[in-house]
Amino acid sequence: ASQNRELHVFLFPFMAHGHMIPVSDMAKLFAAQGVKTTIITNTLNAPTFSKAIRSRKTNSCGCGIEIEIKTIKFPSQEAGLPEGCENLDSLPTPELAGNFFKAMGLLQAPLEQLLLEDQPTCLVADMFFPWATDAAAKFGIPRLVFHGTSFFALAASDCVWRYEPFKNTSSDSEPFVIPNLPGLIRMTRAQVPDFIKDNIENDLSRLLKQSKEAEVRSYGIVVNSFYELEPVYADYYRKVLGKKAWHIGPLSLCNRDNEEKAYRGKEASIDEHECLKWLDSKKPNSVVYVCFGSVVKFNNSQLKDIALGLEASGLEFIWVVRKGKDDDDVGKEDWLPEGFEERMEGKGLIIRGWAPQVLILDHGAVGGFVTHCGWNSTLEGIAAGLPMVTWPVAAEQFYNEKLVTQVLKIGVAVGAQKWVRVVGDSVKKEAIEKAVTQMMVGEEAEEMRNRARVLAEQARRANEKGGSSHSDLNALIEELSSQS
Ligand code: UDP
C-alpha cells in the first residue's frame, strides 16, 4: 500500500445522502489501498462523514488509514436558502431545490482555494459540479466524475436524449424501444422527464447539459457498479460513448468485514438490536422491506394505499416512512388507515424516519425489497440477493427500473408511470398488493430470487482480490499514480 502514498485524492460529493453515502465508502476503499484521501464538504455535513469513516481505523495491511475531512462554507444566504438547509433532504419545500442547485454553483471558488492549498493529485467530483472539470484543469490535475448511478442508466439516458424516441409515440402510455441501446429496452413517454420530452430550458436541464459537456472533457468516470452486473452497458459506455470508466462497486460491500457497524447517512430511528431481534423471529425470506430512499416523500393518500396494499398481501413487512418537516401532521398519524398498527402488531414494523437499511436487507428473514430504484438502494438490494418491486419516482430511477425488470429480470414493476417531483397518489393498493405478492410467492418469485442470489455472489467476488471491481480500483490507482 505504501507505494500509493504520493497519491492524494480529493473527493467532492454532492450534498445529498444518496451521493454522500457511496463517497464515504469510496474514501474507505482508496484509503485502504494506502491512498491519501480528503473529503471536501460543508460544515453541517462534515459530522456525517466523520461518523461514516470512523468505523475503520486500519486497512488490511494494518496501516493507519488517512481520510481527512475539509470543509467549505455553504452559501445559504447568497443562494436564497434558509440557514441550515445544507443537504438536499433538509429543504422545507421542494421548490427550494433550484436555490440548492444555485448554491452548488457557488462552490467553485472555495474549492479552488483548497486545491491551491493542498495540491492533490486528482479530483473526484460529483456530476452536479460541472465546473469541477475547469477547476481541476487550472491546477493541471485529472477530474473524475462520480454519477452515483449505473452504466445502464448512463447509456439509456444518453440514447433517449440523443435520439428522442418519444417523439414518435402518439400517447404518453405507448411504449417505445430505446434506440441504439442493446437489449430492446422499453419505456413510455410518461417516464421521460418533461424537460427532455418538451425540450424545456430550465435550471435543471441547463445543469444536466453542462454536466454532460463537462464529462466529455473530464478524465473519466468512477462508477458504483460491478462488471458482471451489466457487462453490455459497461462496454457500451466505454466503447460507444468513448469515455474511460472504472467500476469499483458495490461500494456498500466495503463495510461487510468490518468489526463496527457502518454508519450510513443518519442515526437510525430504531434501535438496531430491536430491529434485528424482530427479524430474527421471522422465517427466512418472509419479510418485505419497503423504503423509498432519502428524498422521496409520499402524500397521505399514497401512504394509505401502501398500508392497505401491504395489509391485503398478508405478508410481513418493515416499512420506512419519511414525513417532511413542513408536514404539521407528523405526530398525528392520520396517514395510516384506522386501526392499522393494532391489526399489524407483530406482523408489520413501521420505521418513522431513518432505517438501518443495509443491515435489514442483509438479514436472512428479508425476502424482497420495494424500492424507488435509487441506485444505491438498487445495488444494496442486488448485493443482498433480493428480488424487488420497482417503484421509480424521478431522476434516473426509471432507467434503473428497466435494468432490474427487463435486463436482470429480478423485479416486478408496480406500474409507476410518471416522472414527478412531488409525489401524489399514483399507485393504488391493488397494484401494490399484486406486485408484492408476485415478488414473494410462487414460481416466478423463486426464479427471480435465484437470479438475484447469483448476482449477489458475483458482487461479493467482484470485490475480492482479483475480482473485477478490486482490479479496476487498482488499475485506477496505478493510472493516477503514473500521471502524478
Ligand atoms: N438509506 C438508509 N436508511 C433509510 C433510507 C435510505 O440507510 O431509511 C440509505 C440507503 O441505504 C442508500 C441511501 O440511503 O444507501 C439512499 O440512496 P438511493 O440512491 O437509494 O436513493 P436517494 O436517497 O438518492 O433517492
Side-chain angles (χ1 to χ4, degrees), residues 115-169:
L115 289 171
L116 182 69
E117 286 165 16
D118 278 29
Q119 312 241 327
T121 40
C122 169
L123 171 64
V124 181
D126 198 280
M127 50 92 61
F128 281 128
F129 304 118
W131 46 262
T133 302
D134 294 328
K138 276 190 197 168
F139 296 89
I141 60 168
R143 184 263 167 121
L144 290 161
V145 183
F146 179 62
H147 283 274
T149 192
S150 54
F151 278 115
F152 178 87
L154 293 174
S157 64
D158 185 80
C159 291
V160 169
W161 207 327
R162 202 184 287 256
Y163 305 111
E164 304 183 318
F166 45 81
K167 284 195 168 158
N168 307 324
T169 54

Side-chain angles (χ1 to χ4, degrees), residues 16-19 21-22 148 252 264-266 269 289 291-296 320 322 351 353-358 361 369 371-378 380 396-397:
H17 290 292
H19 296 240
I21 290 172
S252 64
R264 300 181 76 68
K266 296 184 188 184
S269 315
Y289 173 66
C291 181
F292 301 93
S294 66
V295 184
V296 172
V320 189
R322 297 183 70 240
I351 299 179
W354 195 255
Q357 174 158 311
V358 175
L361 290 174
F369 182 12
T371 173
H372 72 310
C373 300
W375 183 239
N376 296 295
S377 295
T378 307
E380 287 158 8
E396 71 340 329
Q397 295 152 13

